[in-house]
Amino acid sequence: MEDRNAELIEKILNLKHRRNAVILAHNYQLGEVQDIANFVGDSLELSQKAAKTEAEIIVFCGVHFMAETASILCPDKTVLLPDINAGCPMANMVIAGKLKRKKLEFPSATVVCYINSSAEVKAESDVCCTSANAVKVIESLDGKEILFVPDQYLGHYISTKTNKKMILWPGFCPTHVRIQPQDITRLKLEYPQAKVVVHPECRPEVIVLADEVLSTGGMCRFAHQIEAEEIIVGTEIGIIHRLGRENPSKRFIPASEQAVCPNMKLINLEKILWSLEEMSPEVKVPEEIRVRAKAAVDRMLEIGRADERSKQIGYPNYRCR
Ligand code: 13P
Ligand code: SF4
């Protein structure tokens, strides 16, 4: 198996070089995929990398909306998604037609879409956000009323951190809702010294039990900086690979072994090689949608650039207000 992987890795690296490609991987990808990527990160970091890369081809190891975001930002590059079926069920919980109708109900609301949404939905939105910058993006807006799609739980978390009136879409992440408050309570008894970090896609009953609420990139920085030796991690379990590799002396305890995103596991070394050989499947956003979607993504990136504090490791949890 190791020999087989070594052969695959060599072929991928050679072909990547010949094609002038960069491999970007999300923190939830399989360990074998994270280990060959040029960069591993959260949705915000990956979109920033995509926007800046000089490579001609981006092999996006993540889910469809992430590859679409790269295509929105880099229309002249070829964006490959090694398994075209790698979607995000939460992103699919809002479609542009329904959002357009909802906007008619709330004509004065500013429409904010979580980056976990299709390009068509981004095109209908005023600004985009990720889990790393959601509070900052929303606080920066003039409007008092926000129509937020599609994640009701991230939206709810933001509502506890800002004084905006949040109109929430009933979407959710099927992976993060598997994490139960009882999981955290049990693990806190088992590991009394451990810090608890959770993703803002978790339900409020889980969030309230955490020490920190962070994007996956924020969790990686937190794990590196904090002195605690044990950390209970409330997000998709793929991140444990990176946390363990970067912090070999610390112990990372998944809040729930059930928190697996099957879509994130669709990409493997074979599919990456095949994708680079065939230059397929390509993700390309039609120009008319791309231009409108880009305005929402650019506005988010601009807010991040304008705010020096974007370098902070995360935002404090409810009880730290
Ligand atoms: P991050 O941007 O925090 O990596 O989250 C992406 C995601 O899909 C979480 O489920
Ligand atoms: Fe989508 Fe949830 Fe998977 Fe993230 S973990 S990609 S939000 S389904």
Side-chain angles (χ1 to χ4, degrees):
M1 179 64 179
E2 276 202 356
D3 280 357
R4 171 91 186 108
N5 272 1
E7 197 185 313
L8 275 169
I9 291 166
E10 198 186 322
K11 285 186 179 170
I12 291 169
L13 297 181
N14 283 337
L15 199 49
K16 185 184 79 158
H17 184 68
R18 280 217 318 273
R19 297 231 192 267
N20 187 17
V22 66
I23 300 178
L24 302 182
H26 187 265
N27 289 319
Y28 298 159
Q29 288 288 293
L30 292 175
E32 63 184 39
V33 173
Q34 295 189 28
D35 292 348
I36 56 134
N38 293 91
F39 183 78
V40 184
D42 68 17
S43 312
L44 178 63
E45 294 162 341
L46 291 172
S47 54
Q48 286 164 335
K49 281 278 166 197
K52 276 197 216 136
T53 184
E54 282 175 8
E56 288 164 70
I57 293 152
I58 300 174
V59 183
F60 216 112
C61 303
V63 289
H64 194 266
F65 76 82
M66 297 179 179
E68 265 192 345
T69 307
S71 167
I72 289 167
L73 290 166
C74 318
D76 301 333
K77 299 191 191 296
T78 302
V79 180
L80 302 173
L81 180 61
D83 189 321
I84 202 66
N85 296 313
C88 167
M90 173 164 69
N92 297 338
M93 290 177 191
V94 55
I95 54 169
K98 283 196 175 169
L99 176 56
K100 274 189 197 170
R101 286 199 289 282
K102 199 73 175 170
K103 279 162 66 170
L104 295 176
E105 268 179 60
F106 299 96
S108 55
T110 306
V111 181
V112 183
C113 67
Y114 189 22
I115 196 161
N116 297 39
S117 56
S118 67
E120 289 84 354
V121 164
K122 290 185 175 77
E124 288 300 323
S125 304
D126 296 303
V127 61
C128 179
C129 72
T130 77
S131 60
N133 60 19
V135 171
K136 197 185 310 160
V137 165
I138 286 180
E139 266 178 350
S140 76
L141 302 173
D142 292 334
K144 278 286 291 168
E145 199 181 36
I146 310 291
L147 173 54
F148 187 77
V149 295
D151 187 7
Q152 61 180 301
Y153 296 124
L154 174 60
H156 175 268
Y157 176 69
I158 298 164
S159 76
T160 68
K161 297 277 152 201
T162 64
N163 57 6
K164 305 285 185 189
K165 175 170 183 266
M166 302 286 291
I167 302 144
L168 302 179
W169 198 267
F172 61 92
C173 164
T175 298
H176 283 84
V177 296
R178 291 198 191 127
I179 301 171
Q180 306 277 350
Q182 309 87 276
D183 295 325
I184 309 279
T185 320
R186 180 177 46 80
L187 288 168
K188 275 173 107 168
L189 284 174
E190 208 176 320
Y191 301 95
Q193 307 297 331
K195 289 278 175 204
V196 180
V197 292
V198 305
H199 198 275
E201 286 175 19
C202 290
R203 289 183 294 144
E205 309 88 274
V206 171
I207 286 187
V208 79
L209 298 172
D211 296 301
E212 297 282 341
V213 184
L214 298 167
S215 72
T216 61
M219 288 182 189
C220 294
R221 286 188 290 282
F222 176 80
H224 188 66
Q225 289 167 5
I226 195 85
E227 282 195 3
E229 276 163 19
E230 292 173 334
I231 303 176
I232 298 167
V233 183
T235 193
E236 209 275 345
I237 59 171
I239 196 172
I240 302 288
H241 174 80
R242 176 173 170 193
L243 291 171
R245 201 188 49 193
E246 291 181 351
N247 309 277
S249 64
K250 296 184 181 174
R251 178 164 190 178
F252 298 96
I253 305 122
S256 167
E257 297 285 351
Q258 308 295 312
V260 178
C261 175
N263 289 282
M264 282 281 181
K265 308 303 176 211
L266 286 175
I267 295 172
N268 57 26
L269 293 179
E270 279 90 347
K271 289 182 194 172
I272 295 173
L273 179 59
W274 176 80
S275 182
L276 271 167
E277 278 171 349
E278 300 293 318
M279 292 292 284
S280 165
E282 185 179 354
V283 172
K284 186 137 190 79
V285 176
E287 192 58 14
E288 185 267 327
I289 293 165
R290 187 191 75 80
V291 173
R292 289 163 51 222
K294 186 168 184 292
V297 178
D298 277 347
R299 194 168 169 197
M300 166 185 83
L301 295 175
E302 196 42 55
I303 292 166
R305 277 192 287 269
D307 187 348
E308 271 292 274
R309 283 173 301 144
S310 64
K311 295 199 175 55
Q312 70 187 33
I313 59 164
Y315 23 91
N317 196 1
Y318 297 149
R319 69 180 118 93
C320 309
R321 257 203 273 192

